[in-house]
Amino acid sequence: MEELGLISELPIRRFTDNGAYLGLHSGDEVLLPQGYLKGNEAEGDLIEVFVYTDSEDRPVAVTERPKALLDEFAVLEVKERTSFGAFLDWGLLKDLFVPNAEMAKDMEVGSKHLIRVCVDHKTNRLIGVSKYQDFIEPAPPEFMSGLPLTGLIFDKTDLGFKVLVESQFEGLLYANEVFEKLELGEKRTVYLKKRRDDGKLDLQLLPPGREKYEEGAEKILSLLEQKGMLKLHDKSDPEEIKAMLGMSKKHFKQSIGQLYKARKIILLPDGIALNSET
């Protein structure tokens, strides 16, 4: 079935009490259950659907879109662990099954993992595979320092954050160079620092050429670049500063002093903001 795991526009062939039957390219039909119909559809209408298999491994169409299609990656959370595998939340009523044999490491309920959606050719159903390295390629030698890339944050180690780059390469953001909170599953623009000999990539969050500051100042600057303004100043309550930035008031004052001296921020009566003139 060529539509399995993909988004397709399929025509309505007929209606039953169970829903609408859509025509597949093979000539067969797939059910779009009644709950996914708006009530104003007619035979011949094209419906955009995702096709997968239900709990009894029967093909079914839904109008929802999962977090990853066939041959795509996503960071998914484990909802249930069994003796034969794990079930992960991929945004559909039926969770995505990852067999034990396809796990890169053991999975626990609540943990998040980089998953690629694949077809199990023995059962002809969609499964998840966490052995991502089977699908990773060495980055091409022509990748140059400073190149902007699309990254998916998928794991945290003692060294830093592992990143899936352009859905096919592996990179690393070093922990001592990250001054903001990153979430697993977050997509970010990252910048190439260096291509290593093994084809993996050293990455950074900042575009090349931007001056780096002391860790506290860098954290404040990163937040300001996201928000534009922070309602914190040298008269703010120490607990308020700690709750928002995770630093002491003394460290905060030193950091904003460094940024003010570099003309990166302006001081407002009720906070600090980026200096738009730099």
Side-chain angles (χ1 to χ4, degrees), residues 173-229:
L173 289 165
Y174 287 93
N176 62 355
E177 297 178 358
V178 175
F179 305 111
E180 60 187 275
K181 185 177 181 181
L182 295 178
E183 299 286 348
L184 299 188
E186 182 178 352
K187 291 185 177 180
R188 295 289 298 264
T189 297
V190 292
Y191 299 89
L192 178 61
K193 285 182 63 179
K194 182 179 71 172
R195 179 192 182 276
R196 303 206 300 262
D197 291 341
D198 61 2
K200 295 183 180 180
L201 305 174
D202 290 343
L203 306 168
Q204 62 187 46
L205 290 173
L206 303 176
R210 206 198 85 171
E211 183 180 354
K212 291 185 178 180
Y213 299 95
E214 177 272 334
E215 181 177 347
E218 193 64 55
K219 184 174 186 178
I220 292 170
L221 191 57
S222 294
L223 281 173
L224 285 172
E225 288 175 342
Q226 295 176 40
K227 302 176 182 296
M229 185 261 190

Side-chain angles (χ1 to χ4, degrees), residues 6-163:
L6 304 174
I7 301 292
S8 302
E9 276 196 337
L10 303 178
I12 297 177
R13 284 191 179 168
R14 59 190 175 94
F15 293 93
T16 70
D17 291 341
N18 294 324
Y21 280 87
L22 312 180
L24 297 171
H25 289 96
S26 65
D28 294 329
E29 294 179 331
V30 62
L31 175 66
L32 176 65
Q34 188 69 41
Y36 294 101
L37 295 174
K38 298 177 181 178
N40 59 352
E41 295 88 354
E43 289 185 12
D45 285 354
L46 290 175
I47 306 291
E48 186 177 90
V49 294
F50 175 74
V51 178
Y52 69 132
T53 55
D54 64 15
S55 57
E56 297 181 16
D57 289 337
R58 298 171 301 190
V60 65
V62 296
T63 54
E64 298 165 327
R65 186 184 183 96
K67 296 176 182 177
L69 303 179
L70 179 64
D71 295 331
E72 290 183 349
F73 285 101
V75 174
L76 306 179
E77 183 174 341
V78 179
K79 291 181 65 177
E80 182 183 357
R81 183 70 168 95
T82 70
S83 60
F84 47 86
F87 292 89
L88 281 67
D89 177 12
W90 67 327
L92 299 179
L93 183 62
K94 180 190 174 186
D95 298 325
L96 184 66
F97 178 61
V98 179
N100 286 332
E102 300 297 345
M103 293 183 186
K105 60 182 178 181
D106 193 25
M107 295 182 174
E108 299 178 353
V109 173
S111 61
K112 294 182 178 181
H113 303 266
L114 180 66
I115 300 296
R116 185 177 173 97
V117 179
C118 300
V119 173
D120 180 352
H121 294 289
K122 293 180 181 178
T123 61
N124 201 35
R125 67 179 180 182
L126 298 174
I127 61 169
V129 175
S130 71
K131 294 179 177 179
Y132 70 90
Q133 291 182 335
D134 292 344
F135 308 97
I136 295 297
E137 303 173 9
E142 59 265 26
F143 270 24
M144 302 298 291
S145 176
L147 181 68
L149 300 161
T150 300
L152 173 66
I153 314 297
F154 72 87
D155 196 13
K156 188 177 188 304
T157 70
D158 291 340
L159 276 178
F161 291 89
K162 289 186 177 182
V163 183

